[in-house]
Amino acid sequence: MKIFITGGAGYIGTHICVELLQTGYDIVVYDNLSNGSTEAIHQLKTITGKTAVLIIGDIRDEARMSEAMRGCDAVIHLAGLKAVGESVEKPLDYYDNNVHGTLCLLRAMQANNIKTLVFSSSATVYGDPVKLPFSESHPLQPTNPYGKTKLVIEDILRDLYHSDSKWKIVILRYFNPVGAHPSGLIGEDPLGIPNNLMPFIAQVAAGKHKFLNVYGDDYPTPDGTGVRDYIHIVDLAQGHVKALEALSVPQCTPINLGTGQGYSVLDLVKAFSNASGKEIPYEIVPRRAGDIAEFYADPSLAQKILKWSASKTLDDMCRDTWNFQSKIKCVPKSVGK
Ligand code: NAD
Ligand code: UD1
């Protein structure tokens, strides 16, 4: 089978490419490189011995994308913008890239008679927890434009399936993907100051920042700091291979990809310190606006439908992040992203 991967040159996409190539799929990556890396695509050959075709293009260029996907059997759709804070400041960019881009993709798929799709959604669609763990039936009330674009796309996919029951769609709701490929050749190397916890801790360990700001220690959690369901990027990527395998019958199914286990900010600090052998100095500062105290997945549907569950531990996530972080000190910056 040949898989068309939008956004395949990004952090999650490149890790999915590794798993697909290793499983024996052919792949075509379609990416505008606004946040992707050609170097990371080259690293796929080193890791897997196989190559991915890269076509540089925007998902909003429907004609180009339609041409690029000719001959493919299924699509994994990751392309889009993903920064929550930026989405509050630039909502139109988010609706245009994410929603308009997805409409172009779906029309191009129809034109090519490709009706098998795995879509990257986010746990952010749940919004503030009414009940934990988040199961797929939890109310969907995203609190920021980024999350709203994901919910709009999910709704479009549900409507599309109702209009034409030949579609085979899995909507994957990711929890907090972290870590890097164990080779250390691909990973996440955000431009500028990272917003997310794991990349920031990694940069503190690497000496790029003096200390970590811990956003609040007065939450109703065991140690007072925020709790999240961190999932190793390789586990997450393997979930996509399982999702493709599960798409033998028409459906439109949302599925959580998480571990079901929550860890606090201070749990991460401790685990990363152990993995890297570095002290991670931190300071407690006020809560970050819009943050939720605690959330984690009910991963049972993924186990049931995809026959998939996460197997890597928090220590694995920290070790592989540190391995990647240590290597980007001595290779060109563009290798990660
Ligand atoms: P990323 O920014 O590393 O990858 C996204 C890729 O899409 C980039 O390579 C970028 O160049 C490309 N892209 C963006 N807009 C495009 C467009 N209009 N046309 C073509 N290519 C375009 O992000 P990621 O972390 O790998 O996330 C991938 C997907 O997973 C996104 O849809 C994101 O919303 C979703 N997701 C990510 C997380 C996370 O924590 N990283 C969590 C939940 C969901
Ligand atoms: C964020 C996004 C979410 C996205 C997820 C991916 C927001 C509001 N949500 O979620 O849409 O899917 O990333 O991983 O941005 N923290 C610190 N210090 C820091 C950074 C974070 O203490 O420098 C704390 C936060 O308060 C939180 C935890 O670490 O308790 C995790 O934060 P982060 O990595 O940003 O992820 P989320 O907030 O869960």
Side-chain angles (χ1 to χ4, degrees), residues 94-105:
Y94 274 68
Y95 283 100
D96 190 48
N97 244 284
N98 296 3
V99 179
H100 170 209
T102 301
L103 288 174
C104 294
L105 175 77

Side-chain angles (χ1 to χ4, degrees), residues 156-211:
I156 291 170
L157 295 176
R158 284 184 271 272
D159 287 343
L160 182 63
Y161 173 67
H162 286 130
S163 76
D164 173 0
S165 59
K166 289 201 186 68
W167 280 85
K168 300 172 180 172
I169 301 170
V170 165
I171 293 167
L172 296 178
R173 294 182 181 149
Y174 308 159
F175 280 69
N176 287 51
V178 295
H181 191 266
S183 65
L185 294 174
I186 54 172
E188 186 181 25
D189 182 23
L191 290 171
I193 297 172
N195 290 314
N196 297 120
L197 181 61
M198 185 67 105
F200 199 98
I201 291 181
Q203 291 192 2
V204 172
K208 290 188 177 178
H209 309 283
K210 285 207 170 65
F211 57 87

Side-chain angles (χ1 to χ4, degrees), residues 7 64 87 102 106 166 176 181 185 228 234 236 269 290 304 332:
R64 180 172 174 73
S87 78
T102 301
L106 296 171
K166 289 201 186 68
N176 287 51
H181 191 266
L185 294 174
R228 296 291 183 273
V234 171
L236 187 91
V269 168
K304 190 172 155 214

Side-chain angles (χ1 to χ4, degrees), residues 82-85 121-124 143-144 146-147 174-178 188 194-201 212-216 219 225-230 263-265 268 285 287-295:
K82 62 164 183 174
V84 171
S121 189
S122 166
T124 222
T143 55
N144 55 70
Y146 164 67
Y174 308 159
F175 280 69
N176 287 51
V178 295
E188 186 181 25
N195 290 314
N196 297 120
L197 181 61
M198 185 67 105
F200 199 98
I201 291 181
L212 167 74
N213 285 316
V214 175
Y215 297 135
Y219 284 110
T225 66
V227 167
R228 296 291 183 273
D229 184 340
Y230 298 96
Y263 287 105
S264 74
V265 176
L268 252 76
V285 298
R287 293 178 178 191
R288 183 171 65 177
D291 261 355
I292 292 169
E294 175 172 37
F295 66 84

Side-chain angles (χ1 to χ4, degrees), residues 15 22 45 62 91 111-113 122 125 148 160 172 181-182 190 203 227 239 265 268 306 312 314 317 327:
H15 290 82
Q22 283 177 341
K45 177 87 196 283
E62 194 177 319
N112 283 281
N113 200 26
S122 166
V125 295
K148 288 178 191 170
L160 182 63
L172 296 178
H181 191 266
Q203 291 192 2
V227 167
V265 176
L268 252 76
L306 306 184
K312 291 183 181 275
L314 184 62
M317 301 177 211
K327 287 190 174 162

